[in-house]
Amino acid sequence: MSKAMTIIVADDHAIVREGLKMLLSTLADVSVVAEAADGEAVLALARSTPADLLVLDLGMPGVTGIQFIADIRELAPRMKVLVLTANIEPRTVRAAIEAGASGYLTKNGDPAELADAVEALRTNESYLAQSIRFAVSDPARQTLHSATEEALSPIPLTRREMQILSLSAQGLTAREIAERLGISPLTARKHRENLMRKLSLHSAAEIAAYAVRIGLPVG
């Protein structure tokens, strides 16, 4: 049985939102719980409406570029972001992934890809539209392709680092982590600092967001 998934649809065109809702309604165990027509409404929903996935149009009014993705991920670390946009520039794709997007679809793509993307994200995988994959595999953009693949792949962690990441993402303090692992609070704090440096994380919200992205329990 598929894991149930709740979705927020965000696009400034009502006809696009209706089309997305219609497509999503055909998928098993998927429900659209809210919709938004601008960035301000998306931020409000991120604060008030628990959802597993946000389908986001980057061209909506009030969406302040790629940084908006990072803002959403900080507000709602458990909610994944699937970008749906007309922008097919590879550098935008890379930036979106680095900002925390779990998937990237283009508005001129095959509607069936929406279902493929949802199923991939449902199982904690990432998804790039077929047209984007072809674009980044072009020899002239091979460097970008490598960077995108790297962004999609989690950084290898040791068993101890995974323990520290999981416990930190659950909100435990250094003292509580130390008690769980049988180490000193100073050692626990040092492990967490080293982990954050390794993953380029700078806050508890970013730790939680990274843990969610690789499938660890949070909260």
Side-chain angles (χ1 to χ4, degrees):
M1 181 181 294
S2 298
K3 175 185 174 183
M5 176 172 274
T6 54
I7 299 178
I8 295 173
V9 172
D11 193 288
D12 58 326
H13 294 98
I15 193 169
V16 174
R17 295 197 304 274
E18 290 303 316
L20 288 172
K21 289 191 292 183
M22 185 176 298
L23 287 169
L24 291 168
S25 70
T26 66
L27 305 181
D29 299 314
V30 168
S31 58
V32 176
V33 294
E35 57 184 279
D38 57 53
E40 185 176 345
V42 173
L43 293 174
L45 287 171
R47 296 186 184 97
S48 65
T49 306
D52 300 309
L53 176 65
L54 168 66
V55 180
L56 175 67
D57 174 18
L58 286 179
M60 282 195 309
V63 173
T64 54
I66 297 300
Q67 178 59 38
F68 192 83
I69 298 172
D71 294 342
I72 289 295
R73 297 289 289 145
E74 185 167 359
L75 280 174
R78 296 170 183 260
M79 185 166 65
K80 297 179 181 179
V81 176
L82 173 61
V83 172
L84 177 62
T85 180
N87 190 327
I88 61 172
E89 283 295 320
R91 61 184 176 183
T92 302
V93 179
R94 176 184 176 183
I97 293 168
E98 291 177 344
S102 296
Y104 199 104
L105 293 178
T106 62
K107 286 191 171 181
N108 62 349
D110 188 333
E113 280 201 298
L114 178 62
D116 293 339
V118 168
E119 290 307 315
L121 272 57
R122 197 201 298 257
T123 56
N124 293 319
E125 297 179 6
S126 299
Y127 191 89
L128 286 179
Q130 292 287 346
S131 58
I132 296 298
R133 296 177 198 173
F134 296 149
V136 297
S137 65
D138 186 281
R141 295 166 176 165
Q142 198 60 48
T143 300
L144 175 60
H145 175 66
S146 299
T148 302
E149 290 300 313
E150 182 179 349
L152 287 172
S153 303
I155 296 172
L157 298 177
T158 65
R159 179 173 175 272
R160 177 65 85 194
E161 287 171 337
M162 288 293 286
Q163 290 174 328
I164 297 293
L165 175 61
S166 178
L167 295 174
S168 296
Q170 293 175 53
L172 273 65
T173 66
R175 183 172 297 280
E176 291 169 331
I177 292 173
E179 292 175 355
R180 288 282 189 95
L181 300 181
I183 57 180
S184 73
L186 181 61
T187 299
R189 191 173 297 109
K190 193 65 178 177
H191 276 317
R192 187 165 59 188
E193 290 173 355
N194 291 339
L195 175 69
M196 292 177 71
R197 188 178 304 111
K198 180 176 182 177
L199 299 177
S200 297
L201 304 176
H202 307 94
S203 67
E206 290 184 3
I207 291 175
Y210 187 89
V212 168
R213 188 172 179 182
I214 65 172
L216 290 178
V218 179

